[in-house]
Amino acid sequence: MEEPEDSPPSSKSRRWIYATLILCGYGFFKEFKPSEPFLTPYLTDNTTKNFTKDEVNSQIYVYWPYSFLIAEIFVLLLTDIVRYKPVILVEATAYLMTRFLLIWGTNVVSMQMMQVVYGIATATEIAYFSYIYPAVSLKHYKKVTSYVRAVRLFGQAMAGIVGQILISTKAFNYLQLNYFSCASVFVACVFAILLPNLCSCSCWNGTETQKTSSRGMGTCAQAVADYIRTTTHKRLLDLKAYYSSPSLLKWSLWWALATCGYLQVGNYVQSLWKEIATSTGVSYEYNGLVEAITTLCSAFAAFTLSFMKVNWPLWGELTIGCLSLLDSAVLFIAASTKLLWLAYICHILYRTTYAFLITIASTQLAYAITHDSYALIFGINTFIALVLQSFLTLAVSDEHGLDLGIRTQFRVYSGYYYFLMLVFVSAGVYKLTSMGWGQSFRLCCRDPLSQVVTSRDRTGDLVGPETEEPERQKLIQNTDDGIKNSYSQPV
């Protein structure tokens, strides 16, 4: 579904709006799983699966990060080449298979398989976040980044609200909630099928297909092979350029380190809540409500970011460091408290700060990445996070490692974020001191990346042909030069 170059502006505008709406619909329904906040209770409840706490924490949950890591390798290599939609279809199918295994699986092995399939689904999620950028022009990047992240979080919030109501009123039990979630994921599969194709290989568009139909599939296969070879070469050049840029390297480093902690905390936070509730004899369970409030706060943070004007390249390190200190504190409190409601509040604060910072990082990276390399860069950052998470899981959670208690695990995670705070606060203070705090405050509302964007093509609503190699290198250099020049300009 490639748009002709001479398409009228109104047609292009409708195209990117349609793509954004369908992607947002997919993002909502794939996250609208009311059973998700009650996964640990579902697995340990004696009326459903009846697994022990040790089986869930040390034998079942540990398979997810390992599967995620292995699947991410293939996702990293293929997502940009196949142009996103096929990977999104794999994601939707894997989420559906996860529901099937959760509902009909009966033993530890089937639950381990469920975690493996879930790892594939979460690994392919990078295509969901990368798909929209090639479909829109640069002037829409900040908006669509906020939209696709906010609607995903809104789906999680609605799932939490619906799940909590159904459980609290005893209208549904845990098993019936999983049937509900299965139906929602099926609807997401329909939205995935309706997504417009973003194929850029000339052999795959309608004109070239007619030409090659009389010459056989051999010609098309050769065209595909040439496309893959050329694309791979460009990706290697992209990597060299992107990761030699200090501004991009900073956000990529934070992405990897913070996502590692975020995934690990998310994987075991329900086990922490279960431990607190069991040890204190608490009978209430508001996991769904907490997840709803958490995701609504996260969605609000992601959405309002599109209206903020802050010099993130200048103030980014200090912002990251201060929020990392907040994360460290709330994780330590959650690990130590005997009050379940306090642990819930700590989780809300933790997730909101992550959603805020990851949206900033996504926007800053998207401004400087050429349109056919989004999944590559985002995927590599996620892959590094998964490598770190796998080591962290093996060290503190796996039965073959230290197999620490759940409270001790969260104290380790608190120390991890304290380390991030030391690194980024030190870097931020050094940068601002070198420039001068007065000058830094005067520049706090000037975003140099917005100046870089004006130099790039913003005439259409669809991204045009691929950027030539010299322009790719110049783009990255312009990003760093734009940042440096804005610092030296008078205010």
Side-chain angles (χ1 to χ4, degrees):
M1 296 180 66
E2 292 291 324
E3 196 74 37
E5 293 183 2
D6 57 350
S7 297
S10 60
S11 175
K12 293 180 178 181
S13 177
R14 287 193 300 268
R15 173 69 186 280
W16 84 261
I17 292 174
Y18 171 78
T20 303
L21 288 175
I22 295 296
L23 188 68
C24 287
Y26 170 72
F28 175 83
F29 282 102
K30 81 184 181 73
E31 297 298 335
F32 185 59
K33 302 187 288 283
S35 62
E36 203 78 348
F38 303 95
L39 177 59
T40 298
Y42 171 69
L43 293 176
T44 56
D45 189 83
N46 56 14
T47 63
T48 51
K49 299 304 178 183
N50 198 28
F51 296 113
T52 67
K53 179 181 66 175
D54 291 337
E55 286 175 331
V56 170
N57 292 336
S58 301
Q59 298 181 37
I60 296 176
Y61 283 168
V62 294
Y63 272 76
W64 173 64
Y66 303 145
S67 171
F68 197 163
L69 174 63
I70 295 172
E72 187 70 16
I73 297 174
F74 298 96
V75 172
L76 184 63
L77 296 174
L78 297 175
T79 300
D80 284 312
I81 293 176
V82 301
R83 310 306 291 158
Y84 312 108
K85 180 178 177 178
V87 180
I88 291 177
L89 291 173
V90 172
E91 178 191 15
T93 304
Y95 274 127
L96 195 58
M97 290 300 299
T98 301
R99 293 298 120 189
F100 290 162
L101 287 167
L102 270 172
I103 293 171
W104 289 288
T106 57
N107 52 37
V108 171
V109 174
S110 61
M111 291 302 102
Q112 290 171 341
M113 287 300 301
M114 177 272 296
Q115 287 286 282
V116 170
V117 177
Y118 185 65
I120 296 172
T122 49
T124 52
E125 192 174 43
I126 196 69
Y128 167 75
F129 293 115
S130 304
Y131 170 91
I132 198 62
Y133 295 121
V136 305
S137 64
L138 289 170
K139 61 185 177 183
H140 299 304
Y141 274 14
K142 185 181 288 187
K143 287 185 178 180
V144 297
T145 299
S146 296
Y147 293 161
V148 297
R149 289 191 176 274
V151 77
R152 174 178 175 271
L153 294 170
F154 182 67
Q156 293 176 353
M158 291 303 298
I161 293 172
V162 172
Q164 188 65 61
I165 291 174
L166 294 175
I167 288 296
S168 297
T169 60
K170 299 184 179 179
F172 277 34
N173 58 32
Y174 295 135
L175 179 60
Q176 290 169 330
L177 275 185
N178 275 278
Y179 282 114
F180 195 134
S181 298
C182 187
S184 178
V185 173
F186 179 80
V187 175
C189 290
V190 175
F191 273 95
I193 294 171
L194 294 176
L195 280 170
N197 294 316
L198 296 177
C199 177
S200 64
C201 177
S202 62
C203 180
W204 295 335
N205 62 41
T207 303
E208 189 64 20
T209 300
Q210 293 177 0
K211 292 179 181 180
T212 59
S213 61
S214 61
R215 292 179 287 178
M217 292 301 296
T219 303
C220 187
Q222 182 61 43
V224 172
D226 292 342
Y227 171 74
I228 293 175
R229 184 165 49 252
T230 302
T231 302
T232 302
H233 176 67
K234 289 179 179 180
R235 298 300 180 271
L236 294 175
L237 294 177
D238 287 345
L239 288 177
K240 181 179 178 181
Y242 295 144
Y243 287 107
S244 62
S245 164
S247 58
L248 299 185
L249 185 61
K250 170 187 68 181
W251 290 108
S252 294
L253 177 64
W254 177 84
W255 180 306
L257 293 173
T259 300
C260 165
Y262 175 80
L263 293 173
Q264 191 71 0
V265 169
N267 200 28
Y268 287 96
V269 70
Q270 289 188 31
S271 297
L272 176 64
W273 295 340
K274 189 71 174 179
E275 170 70 20
I276 295 173
T278 302
S279 62
T280 57
V282 173
S283 58
Y284 63 84
E285 196 170 55
Y286 295 117
N287 294 13
L289 179 62
V290 170
E291 290 293 347
I293 296 173
T294 297
T295 49
L296 285 175
C297 291
S298 300
F300 179 77
F303 187 75
T304 55
L305 183 64
S306 62
F307 303 101
M308 296 178 63
K309 294 182 179 180
V310 178
N311 193 329
W312 297 117
L314 179 60
W315 285 88
E317 290 97 332
L318 192 60
T319 302
I320 291 171
C322 291
L323 292 181
S324 295
L325 179 60
L326 174 62
D327 289 339
S328 176
V330 297
L331 288 174
F332 185 82
I333 293 171
S336 305
T337 186
K338 295 182 179 180
L339 302 173
L340 185 57
W341 63 266
L342 182 56
Y344 282 154
I345 292 175
C346 289
H347 183 65
I348 293 170
L349 292 173
Y350 171 77
R351 284 272 301 275
T352 302
T353 57
Y354 177 82
F356 179 75
L357 288 175
I358 197 67
T359 306
I360 297 173
S362 299
T363 304
Q364 298 298 304
L365 290 172
Y367 273 141
I369 298 175
T370 51
H371 75 274
D372 54 356
S373 296
Y374 296 114
L376 176 69
I377 303 303
F378 293 162
I380 286 180
N381 294 341
T382 304
F383 178 76
I384 295 172
L386 291 172
V387 172
L388 295 174
Q389 188 201 4
S390 295
F391 282 116
L392 190 59
T393 300
L394 181 62
V396 305
S397 306
D398 200 304
E399 61 181 348
H400 301 100
L402 297 176
D403 195 12
L404 300 176
I406 192 67
R407 288 183 181 272
T408 306
Q409 286 186 41
F410 271 74
R411 291 189 181 98
V412 172
Y413 307 150
S414 172
Y416 176 85
Y417 276 94
Y418 188 80
F419 170 75
L420 293 187
M421 181 275 295
L422 293 177
V423 172
F424 282 96
V425 165
S426 299
V429 169
Y430 175 79
K431 173 185 285 188
L432 297 175
T433 302
S434 299
M435 176 173 296
W437 286 87
Q439 177 76 348
S440 299
F441 279 111
R442 286 192 295 271
L443 292 171
C444 68
C445 294
R446 177 186 293 180
D447 188 354
L449 285 179
S450 63
Q451 302 172 22
V452 175
V453 170
T454 59
S455 68
R456 295 176 62 181
D457 179 21
R458 299 172 59 182
T459 59
D461 287 318
L462 288 177
V463 176
E466 294 185 0
T467 309
E468 294 298 328
E469 215 52 62
E471 296 177 355
R472 292 169 180 264
Q473 309 300 325
K474 185 179 179 181
L475 172 62
I476 304 302
Q477 186 61 46
N478 283 348
T479 301
D480 289 327
D481 290 346
I483 294 170
K484 294 174 183 176
N485 292 339
S486 72
Y487 295 159
S488 59
Q489 293 173 0
V491 178

